[in-house]
Amino acid sequence: MNFKKIAMLCFVLLMAGMTAYAQSDITGKWAATLAGPQGEMELIFNYKVDKGIVTGTIGSQMGEIALKNGKIEGEKFSYDFAFQNMTFKHNGEQISENEIVVKSERGEMKLTRVKE
């Protein structure tokens, strides 16, 4: 192999490693508290990321709702969920290893990673 081929191979491997590192790891359980008319409600978000696709559920004492149309790019991700014949769109960003901010047309929520 000549020097140019070796240099190109090193560059490709470096870029592949950086791409894998740049992907957020939001897989796992996250918690948030939502204030409502009848008091506070704890929400549990279970995310799973596989090949750029986000799946999972949002749960509360009222049950669980499946996430749809989830995707992730770098630190940012998005998904939808349906509740009472309405679809809610969410956009999120991982701020740190243990903190996510999720935004929708109804406002913003901070999620914290649940240590298991």
Side-chain angles (χ1 to χ4, degrees):
M1 256 196 228
N2 64 27
F3 179 74
K4 284 184 180 180
K5 288 182 180 178
I6 292 172
M8 183 56 95
L9 178 62
C10 289
F11 177 75
V12 169
L13 292 173
L14 177 64
M15 289 293 109
M18 289 176 70
T19 303
Y21 178 75
Q23 187 76 37
S24 287
D25 186 16
I26 62 169
T27 297
K29 188 183 281 191
W30 299 79
T33 303
L34 182 64
Q38 298 169 349
E40 292 186 340
M41 176 186 310
E42 183 178 35
L43 299 175
I44 298 295
F45 295 74
N46 285 298
Y47 294 128
K48 182 178 179 192
V49 176
D50 186 29
K51 298 177 185 167
I53 297 173
V54 178
T55 57
T57 59
I58 301 173
S60 72
Q61 63 262 30
M62 296 169 54
E64 283 189 341
I65 298 171
L67 304 181
K68 298 178 181 185
N69 306 317
K71 61 184 175 182
I72 189 164
E73 287 185 32
E75 301 296 318
K76 297 184 180 200
F77 61 95
S78 62
Y79 56 83
D80 306 335
F81 69 86
F83 180 71
Q84 295 182 345
N85 297 323
M86 297 185 331
T87 298
F88 298 92
K89 297 182 180 295
H90 285 79
N91 294 300
E93 182 173 5
Q94 187 171 10
I95 304 303
S96 71
E97 182 181 339
N98 295 311
E99 186 176 58
I100 289 176
V101 173
V102 177
K103 297 177 184 177
S104 74
E105 58 204 34
R106 296 185 169 230
E108 181 177 300
M109 268 189 299
K110 248 183 209 176
L111 283 59
T112 357
R113 188 180 295 273
V114 175
K115 307 273 183 179
E116 295 186 90

